[in-house]
Amino acid sequence: MDRRQFLKTSSALLAFGSLPKIVLAKPSDGFDYELVVAPADVRIAPHGNTPAWCFNGHFPAPVIRAKQHQPVRIRVVNKLTEPTTIHWHGLRIPIAMDGVPFLSQRPIMPGETFDYEFTPPDAGTFWYHPHMNSVEQLGKGLVGALIVDEAVDPGFDADVVMGLKNWHIRDDGSFTALTTPRNAFRMGTPGRLMTVNGKTAPTYYVPTGGAIRARLVNIDNTVTYDISGQGAELTIVSIDGNPIARPRPLEQHLMGPGMRLDVGFIAPHQAGQTITIYHKHDVLVTFKTVGADKQRQQLPSLPLNPIPSPDLDNAEVIKFAFEWDASINPIEKNGEVNYRFWTINRKAWEGMSAGDIPAPLAKLKRGKSYIFELANLTQYHHPIHLHGHTFTVLASNKQTIEPFHSDTVLLGQNEIARIAFVADNPGRWMYHCHVIEHLKTGLMGYIEVA
Ligand code: C2O
Ligand code: CU
Ligand code: CU
């Protein structure tokens, strides 16, 4: 299958029933996708438009579909009045494509274009977002799903991609505050309108008796979704982009900002039945069966991603403490007042410019295995994310863990978790909390692999 056929098939899959209209980016020559980053008025709220910032003028953003082990080329055009970069969350790709200003590339200035090209080694559910002025750029809508299809199609009958975001908007569409200092030093500022693909509790049609893959992507700045469901036997097949070795029933699953969850199910064998996914007691999304019975009995299985196994016996242990430091006063830099509420190993991120890159939190030797012991010494939870590597979550002092692969681990209050990985990707890799107001107020740093 060549790329064009491939794009066609995957968008046809997505367009099944009344799934959201997929906006396929019109690529310029030689590119698979073109993402134009610009302000756009979009209709999310019941009574008026929202002056959002969008990819290609729409929300939801185009779902980028790449194929495992095949290069994808994405041209980004910045039509904002401020610099930006795009980061591909969860992809193990070379540092030059990681999309972090100064650490891996020059910011894309207004009017400029930057070409990203990479070959995803892992298949699964990922996402993309800017890595500059993140509270505002992500908060106003620059968040999209990136799906890497398996080298061999696992054979689901429908594949539904759902971006979860609580918009900071009023019923008339106008924005409320994306951040307040008061919330930034607590759990972050939640938006008041909970949406899936920009809609409130949408209904998607799925084939009766079909094998369904429902991909949830937490593209929100703040909210940890507490996922459960009913109406079919729901199975967790993949966490944070990586299939799990032993799929298990979805009972309840916490998804912090940046995290993903693929739920598989066989739709009821009768048309007109509903399956519901909840955040706590609120309906996030409903699926309704339609059409003739596909008569599927079993979920297709997903191949595991080729994540290198860390050598735990010889791994070096590095400890990281995530702490709250309300005694830190706001600092003024370049006329901007910034609060520093959070620290990693007693250091708060002070920002970065071309000539002023802070020291790494740790220096790792390329090819060596590491165990990070992550201690959340605060009463708030933090989804801790590492760029460029996929780690194995080994253990926690608060819950029984069946080891699994991830790029973002959610630490509950006073939770200590151990993660391990092979530092096989050379570069300077961001390492931060994905509650955007937390990274903005100190909970960010980077590690260096050389
Ligand atoms: Cu979604 Cu620095 O990450
Ligand atoms: Cu990332
Ligand atoms: Cu945090």
Side-chain angles (χ1 to χ4, degrees):
M1 216 192 298
D2 71 13
R3 169 156 294 275
R4 183 167 294 171
Q5 283 172 315
F6 158 66
L7 287 175
K8 254 201 226 139
T9 336
S10 44
S11 61
L13 256 185
L14 275 158
F16 185 88
S18 74
L19 289 184
K21 198 171 54 187
I22 295 310
V23 188
L24 266 190
K26 254 199 224 98
S28 48
D29 263 358
F31 286 85
D32 301 308
Y33 290 91
E34 185 167 271
L35 295 175
V36 179
V37 183
D41 283 345
V42 293
R43 190 59 182 258
I44 310 275
H47 303 305
N49 286 343
T50 295
W53 291 356
C54 292
F55 293 108
N56 299 356
H58 297 273
F59 193 89
V63 174
I64 293 186
R65 292 197 89 105
K67 197 157 200 174
Q68 188 177 20
H69 309 313
Q70 281 184 24
V72 58
R73 283 156 306 176
I74 305 163
R75 167 161 282 185
V76 172
V77 184
N78 182 8
K79 293 195 174 165
L80 298 174
T81 56
E82 62 181 55
T84 192
T85 58
I86 304 299
H87 168 62
W88 319 95
H89 182 123
L91 295 189
R92 298 186 296 132
I93 54 179
I95 186 68
M97 295 292 117
D98 194 47
V100 174
F102 311 115
L103 222 47
S104 65
Q105 70 171 91
R106 284 180 45 236
I108 312 170
M109 299 308 284
E112 284 185 358
T113 289
F114 190 89
D115 296 337
Y116 292 93
E117 175 166 1
F118 47 82
T119 302
D122 305 315
T125 307
F126 303 93
W127 67 295
Y128 62 100
H129 59 80
H131 225 285
M132 291 191 78
N133 188 19
S134 304
V135 169
E136 192 172 10
Q137 293 195 12
L138 278 69
K140 286 188 163 175
L142 294 171
V143 285
L146 192 167
I147 306 301
V148 181
D149 284 305
E150 289 74 16
V152 177
D153 183 353
F156 283 90
D157 298 303
D159 183 329
V160 190
V161 180
M162 290 159 289
L164 277 42
K165 178 171 166 64
N166 283 30
W167 283 80
H168 295 74
I169 54 178
R170 303 180 184 87
D171 286 356
D172 67 3
S174 61
F175 275 108
T176 57
L178 295 169
T179 180
T180 67
R182 187 190 147 76
N183 287 327
F185 79 81
R186 297 189 170 87
M187 214 32 254
T189 310
R192 53 181 290 278
L193 189 64
M194 185 169 79
T195 66
V196 172
N197 293 336
K199 301 256 185 304
T200 306
T203 297
Y204 295 138
Y205 290 92
V206 294
T208 302
I212 316 300
R213 183 176 191 172
R215 306 180 192 247
L216 303 170
V217 192
N218 186 343
I219 52 177
D220 193 69
N221 278 12
T222 312
V223 177
T224 291
Y225 294 94
D226 184 343
I227 303 294
S228 61
Q230 65 169 41
E233 231 172 81
L234 302 171
T235 303
I236 297 179
V237 295
S238 177
I239 297 176
D240 302 328
N242 295 284
I244 56 175
R246 295 193 303 168
R248 59 169 186 265
L250 166 67
E251 274 147 18
Q252 187 209 19
H253 186 85
L254 291 179
M255 255 177 107
M259 299 168 78
R260 291 87 69 208
L261 183 71
D262 288 20
V263 177
F265 61 91
I266 300 295
H269 293 279
Q270 255 185 1
Q273 303 290 303
T274 58
I275 301 98
T276 313
I277 307 255
Y278 300 94
H279 161 52
K280 298 196 178 131
H281 296 293
D282 296 324
V283 174
L284 266 175
V285 55
T286 304
F287 302 99
K288 204 167 188 166
T289 52
V290 64
D293 188 1
K294 293 256 181 208
Q295 299 189 333
R296 297 285 289 250
Q297 302 297 339
Q298 239 190 328
L299 284 175
S301 62
L302 295 171
L304 298 183
N305 280 327
I307 313 292
S309 304
D311 171 2
L312 296 179
D313 293 334
N314 298 300
E316 183 182 327
V317 179
I318 305 181
K319 294 184 175 190
F320 295 94
F322 303 95
E323 285 182 273
W324 189 63
D325 195 345
S327 66
I328 300 180
N329 290 317
I331 55 161
E332 231 184 295
K333 208 174 175 181
N334 311 322
E336 220 193 301
V337 181
N338 278 311
Y339 292 89
R340 300 287 172 236
F341 296 135
W342 309 93
T343 61
I344 304 179
N345 287 350
R346 291 285 160 91
K347 278 198 343 203
W349 181 252
E350 300 259 322
M352 174 169 65
S353 62
D356 179 17
I357 292 179
L361 288 170
K363 288 190 175 185
L364 312 188
K365 274 216 183 64
R366 184 179 179 180
K368 264 192 67 173
S369 292
Y370 290 87
I371 293 173
F372 281 11
E373 189 175 291
L374 312 177
N376 175 9
L377 306 178
T378 81
Q379 54 175 315
Y380 301 99
H381 53 264
H382 302 282
I384 302 297
H385 172 51
L386 175 63
H387 286 208
H389 296 79
T390 298
F391 48 76
T392 308
V393 181
L394 298 172
S396 154
N397 65 336
K398 294 268 175 172
Q399 43 179 322
T400 333
I401 303 265
E402 168 154 6
F404 64 98
H405 290 131
S406 176
D407 50 64
T408 310
V409 61
L410 185 63
L411 301 178
Q413 90 184 114
N414 298 313
E415 183 166 0
I416 301 173
R418 291 193 144 213
I419 64 171
F421 63 101
V422 182
D424 61 351
N425 200 356
R428 294 181 295 190
W429 302 103
M430 293 309 287
Y431 175 44
H432 61 82
C433 178
H434 224 289
V435 171
I436 305 299
E437 288 161 277
H438 290 176
L439 75 82
K440 171 86 178 170
T441 54
L443 211 51
M444 175 149 77
Y446 72 92
I447 59 162
E448 186 174 299
V449 176

